[in-house]
């Protein structure tokens, strides 16, 4: 049955003038990066999102939160893009202008695989920005080392340049993602639980604009009911099969 669906979706890929791909943490799982919501192995099985991924959590426990992001940054040193990241990058290179990649991931693995124009909805794990509105004295390069680094003059703290719960997505990036979702013929929803909005809403937007929506995930996701087809498998196994020339 799965073989049959796979062949059908391969046909949809061939037919599609424009493909939008929405990825989540599952795409990096086979590279060794933990997801958030997988039972046992996901970060949110170990930590509370309110503590580690909100401004209030950071203000309450800046050292703990800073250390966790440092840990996640260091983890990436030993991690490589996998066959799923590579299949997306190779398709983009072989079919210029046909695939827009939208990701909730902050790990940079799509870019390291060679994908271009990646729309990063949730920011960049390796970027920092000031917690409070910067004053004239706040220069990122001058921040005094610490957990977190601070402005030596006013005490403003650096924080990771990721989007936390309750924060706005970068507007221009999200608008570009919406345009891609509304204009595509096919949206692949890969390795995401589909639980976080507004990112997950892009699949609904694609569907409303008459695109086909296909979910690729080894487990049930909240977007399965929106999909024209659900392929049960991992992204490193499925994406090369779907996107091969
Ligand atoms: P989740 O951790 O919520 O979901 C990961 C999804 O990947 C699950 O549906 C898994 O079944 C699936 N999965 C696991 N291994 C896979 C594999 N090898 N191949 C394909 N899929 C696999 O991650 P996201 O949906 O990305 O936000 O989470 C969305 C946002 O919630 C994240 O960007 C993060 C998180 O809290 C912030 O930190 C703001």
């Amino acid at each position: 049955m799965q073989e049959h669906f796979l062949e059908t979706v391969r046909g949809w890929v061939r037919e599609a003038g424009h493909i939008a791909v929405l990825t989540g943490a599952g795409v990096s799982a086979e590279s060794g990066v933990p997801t958030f919501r997988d039972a046992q192995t996901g970060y949110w099985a170990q930590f509370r999102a309110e503590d580690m991924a909100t401004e209030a959590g950071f203000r309450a426990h800046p050292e703990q939160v800073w250390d966790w992001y440092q840990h996640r940054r260091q983890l990436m040193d030993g991690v490589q893009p996998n066959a799923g990241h590579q299949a997306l990058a190779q398709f983009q290179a072989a079919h210029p202008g046909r695939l827009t990649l939208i990701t909730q991931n902050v790990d940079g693995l799509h870019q390291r695989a060679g994908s271009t124009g990646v729309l990063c909805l949730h920011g960049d794990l390796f970027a920092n920005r000031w917690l409070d509105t910067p004053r004239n004295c706040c220069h990122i390069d001058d921040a005094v080392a610490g957990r977190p680094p601070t402005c030596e003059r006013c005490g403003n703290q650096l924080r990771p340049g990721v989007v936390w719960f309750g924060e706005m997505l970068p507007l221009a990036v999200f608008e570009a993602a919406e345009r891609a979702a509304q204009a595509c013929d096919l949206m692949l929803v890969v390795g995401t639980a589909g639980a976080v909005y507004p990112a997950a809403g892009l699949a609904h937007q694609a569907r409303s604009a008459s695109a086909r929506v296909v979910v690729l995930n080894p487990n049930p996701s909240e977007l399965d009911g929106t999909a024209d087809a659900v392929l049960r498998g991992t992204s490193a196994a499925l994406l090369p099969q779907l996107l091969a020339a």
Side-chain angles (χ1 to χ4, degrees), residues 23-27 29-30 35-38 42 44 49 53 69 72 104-106 122 162-165 190-196 216-221 233-236:
T23 67
V27 169
E30 287 156 283
T35 63
F36 296 95
R37 290 179 186 75
D38 281 298
W44 300 153
Y69 284 89
R72 289 176 57 194
Q104 299 165 86
N105 298 346
V106 295
H122 292 167
V162 301
V163 176
W164 282 332
F165 289 103
V190 193
T192 177
V196 174
L216 280 62
N217 198 311
N219 305 305
S221 87
T234 73
S235 51

Side-chain angles (χ1 to χ4, degrees), residues 8-57:
T8 300
V9 179
R10 275 171 62 85
W12 293 350
V13 168
R14 280 193 297 272
E15 281 168 21
H18 197 88
I19 301 170
V21 181
L22 172 66
T23 67
V27 169
S28 297
E30 287 156 283
S31 294
V33 183
T35 63
F36 296 95
R37 290 179 186 75
D38 281 298
Q40 319 290 335
T41 56
Y43 280 126
W44 300 153
Q46 202 183 341
F47 302 106
R48 281 165 21 115
E50 302 89 302
D51 293 338
M52 296 303 197
T54 64
E55 184 184 323

Side-chain angles (χ1 to χ4, degrees), residues 119-121 163 168-179:
L119 298 173
C120 296
L121 299 176
V163 176
M168 295 284 291
L169 271 53
L171 186 62
V173 175
F174 187 64
E175 285 178 349
E178 287 192 306
R179 282 195 298 277

Side-chain angles (χ1 to χ4, degrees), residues 48 50-52 54-66 131 148 157 164:
R48 281 165 21 115
E50 302 89 302
D51 293 338
M52 296 303 197
T54 64
E55 184 184 323
F58 184 82
R59 287 187 187 277
H61 302 287
E63 289 193 356
Q64 184 191 354
V65 178
W66 182 259
L131 179 60
Q157 295 175 316
W164 282 332

